[in-house]
Amino acid sequence: MLRTRKIRWLSGTMVLLAILTLLLPQALLPQAAAAQAQTSGIDAVLVADVSNSMNTSDRDKISNEAMKMFIDMLPVQGDKVGIVAYTDQVEREKAMLEIQSDADKSSLKDFIDQLGRGPYTDVSVGVTEAVNILNHGADPSHSPMIVLLADGNNDFNKTKGRTQAQSDADLAKAVKEAQDQGIPVYTIGLNADGKLNKNALADLAQQTGGKSFITDTPDDLPQILSEIFADHAKLNVVKLPSVTGNGSYQEVTVNVPNDSVLEANISIMSSKPVEVQLTDPSGQAVDLKSDEAKLSTSKSYSLVKLLKPQEGDWKLRVKGAPKDSIDINLLFNYDLQLVVDPIKTKSYTKGDKVDLAAKLENGGQPLQDNDLYTDMKGTLVVKDVDTGKSEEQPLENTGSGFAGTFEVPDNHNYELVIRAEEDSFYRESAPITINASGAAGSGTQPTTSGSEQDKPFPWLPVILGVIALIVVGVGAWFLMGWLKRKNRGFVGQMVVEIRDENTGDKSYPQYKKLVSFRGRFHLHQLLQLDPELKETEKYVFTPSNGDRIIIRNTAGGTLEKSGRAVDASSGVELKNGDRLSIPLQQADKTILIEYLV
């Protein structure tokens, strides 16, 4: 059915475009100006539910550890952090503190360690206070954000007479303020008891331009916080090979791809403490308490921050407890902005072509290290403001920037954004507005004389001929595409673990190479057709572009990707380092998958 709809849509679109090319040009309207400054700093407020219910959902206070890791990931200077701990009232708060030293980070982390817990819960209290803190202490040149950790629904103190309607009204007011000021709210729901109001948290994030994450174990929180940090700072999490502790040092290569990296954050997450050593690309041991590198440790993570690191392969050595799973992620901080060259100021109409060029800048100056462009991909994201539809088109990598042409497809308003991306980060330009929504123009056509002028143009044969050619072409195109997809191969491997939900035990990781599969395969095949796990047959993998794959639940339903519940019925795309959690109903087990290329 989906393929049939695509064929109908494509055929109809191509016929429409063929006919439109025969029509008269439309009137021109002026371009609307677009200027939006990009920011490099972050102003974050961490909002934590500290009600007594957290004693069950987060007994070991992993949420505190996750917030501390978020703080450690921030640059050594410049960003601001505030903290709100709430129940049905603000229990404790810390106004925006500008980080100028390691002592400032320690002060914030000490404050988190001192948070107590109390009765009742009202999420509107925490969000409202977070917006208030940003209103009074944010830097206008920074990018604001709120991170909310909650574990359930509201629980009001009946003696105060507080109602759900009053809470909803206060929350709606805070959300409106966040929307008006461009403050995204990232929500993290701890669903340990299965009673989490997922929809409320998802709506809160969606309305403010943030993202929503759900997890039933606090052990996922450090990973989720690192992904939130990366998303807001326009960074990509680089997944390094996981390590299973054996009591000895094990080596992992950390590649710093270029000399434009300001900081490299190596987060090491484990359930037990690890020992860390590091050598630089020349083979020299690195002092982890120096101006070159800093090590922060906690009971659930270690974080190594390299300051202005040298390009090349660094060697990280970790020693963990036997059988302890050690996850290692890499995040680079860049002081880079993607700037688009000014376009010609003029009116636009259907068929006009707009030449686009963009480049990265460092501190307001063009990037000097053109090697950074080597593996970068440029994409033009076009949003039709009138219809709400978006599409993408590739841009040429010129070696010192990106270039391409946008042809106005219709008399609509458009918003153009250029995106540049490589493995460790991405940047997006300020949007460019194209206004081409005018009425038909008054231009004249060339005149003819005599009988030629009176003779009508043969519209019907031309249109029927165009339609016939398009139908044949589309049919051939889909046939070739179908044959190509049917025999398309896979790359990379899957790391598979099985968690018993009755005991909490996990199997040893199994590494499944995918090169032997063609066209498609289902999860049951990956699990060696274990009869107990037969319901995994409904999860089907197909290849996608750029070394990515698609997982689809053919029976409909959701799964968790990186801690967030997503609808798998229409397909979920996986890229390198993505993780899935697939709960099984019949076997009372959960399949944990990580895709590595």
Side-chain angles (χ1 to χ4, degrees), residues 253-541:
T253 299
V254 177
N255 176 258
V256 176
N258 55 75
D259 59 10
S260 294
V261 175
L262 289 179
E263 296 180 350
N265 292 298
I266 309 170
S267 59
I268 306 162
M269 288 165 281
S270 59
S271 61
K272 298 178 181 178
V274 299
E275 297 180 39
V276 180
Q277 295 179 348
L278 187 69
T279 56
D280 64 21
S282 68
Q284 296 295 313
V286 177
D287 181 359
L288 296 178
K289 295 183 179 180
S290 66
D291 291 336
E292 180 183 12
K294 299 179 183 296
L295 172 65
S296 303
T297 59
S298 172
K299 61 183 180 182
S300 62
Y301 74 89
S302 297
L303 188 133
V304 177
K305 183 182 288 290
L306 305 181
L307 306 177
K308 198 58 183 172
Q310 176 187 349
E311 178 181 349
D313 288 339
W314 297 62
K315 300 298 182 181
L316 176 72
R317 302 178 70 231
V318 295
K319 182 200 289 187
K323 298 184 179 181
D324 190 24
S325 179
I326 304 171
D327 292 329
I328 306 172
N329 290 336
L330 183 59
L331 275 175
F332 295 117
N333 284 340
Y334 292 87
D335 183 18
L336 296 173
Q337 294 80 40
L338 184 63
V339 179
V340 182
D341 291 349
I343 63 175
K344 294 180 179 179
T345 302
K346 57 167 286 185
S347 300
Y348 294 93
T349 190
K350 181 179 68 67
D352 283 351
K353 294 183 178 180
V354 183
D355 292 328
L356 300 168
K359 59 182 177 296
L360 291 169
E361 290 188 355
N362 187 334
Q365 299 298 318
L367 184 67
Q368 299 299 314
D369 181 12
N370 286 343
D371 289 344
L372 186 59
Y373 288 104
T374 301
D375 297 320
M376 293 198 73
K377 179 180 71 172
T379 304
L380 174 63
V381 182
V382 180
K383 179 181 179 181
D384 186 324
V385 178
D386 295 348
T387 65
K389 294 181 179 179
S390 296
E391 61 181 34
E392 298 181 356
Q393 68 182 61
L395 296 175
E396 177 191 0
N397 184 332
T398 65
S400 59
F402 305 94
T405 300
F406 169 65
E407 182 172 347
V408 180
D410 212 333
N411 293 321
H412 291 176
N413 295 303
Y414 296 92
E415 186 178 86
L416 313 181
V417 172
I418 294 178
R419 179 184 175 107
E421 182 173 17
E422 59 104 62
D423 287 344
S424 62
F425 80 103
Y426 66 94
R427 288 294 183 269
E428 292 180 346
S429 71
I432 301 168
T433 301
I434 300 292
N435 188 327
S437 58
S442 57
T444 59
Q445 296 297 309
T447 60
T448 58
S449 61
S451 61
E452 288 184 352
Q453 188 174 15
D454 299 329
K455 187 176 180 180
F457 185 79
W459 286 98
L460 184 59
V462 170
I463 293 174
L464 292 177
V466 169
I467 292 174
L469 288 173
I470 290 172
V471 170
V472 172
V474 169
W477 183 80
F478 269 96
L479 178 60
M480 289 186 293
W482 179 80
L483 291 172
K484 182 178 180 180
R485 288 192 299 271
K486 186 174 179 62
N487 294 291
R488 190 172 179 183
F490 295 81
V491 298
Q493 60 183 339
M494 294 280 194
V495 184
V496 181
E497 296 176 279
I498 302 174
R499 184 174 66 213
D500 189 318
E501 296 303 331
N502 293 318
T503 64
D505 294 336
K506 285 197 300 187
S507 66
Y508 285 109
Q510 300 181 48
Y511 293 81
K512 307 283 189 177
K513 295 189 179 298
L514 307 180
V515 293
S516 60
F517 295 106
R518 311 292 297 182
R520 56 182 281 166
F521 67 93
H522 52 74
L523 181 55
H524 198 213
Q525 292 173 267
L526 208 63
L527 300 173
Q528 299 177 327
L529 303 177
D530 186 339
E532 182 188 15
L533 308 176
K534 185 174 177 57
E535 64 182 290
T536 58
E537 288 180 342
K538 62 186 179 183
Y539 291 96
V540 177
F541 295 93

Side-chain angles (χ1 to χ4, degrees), residues 54 57-68 117 149 190 217-222 225 270-271 299-301:
M54 293 288 282
S57 56
D58 186 15
R59 182 177 58 255
D60 296 325
K61 296 188 176 181
I62 301 299
S63 57
N64 289 5
E65 302 301 307
M67 289 190 289
K68 288 155 60 178
R117 288 175 174 167
L149 297 98
L190 274 169
T217 170
D219 293 340
D220 293 335
L221 290 177
L225 263 292
S270 59
S271 61
K299 61 183 180 182
S300 62
Y301 74 89

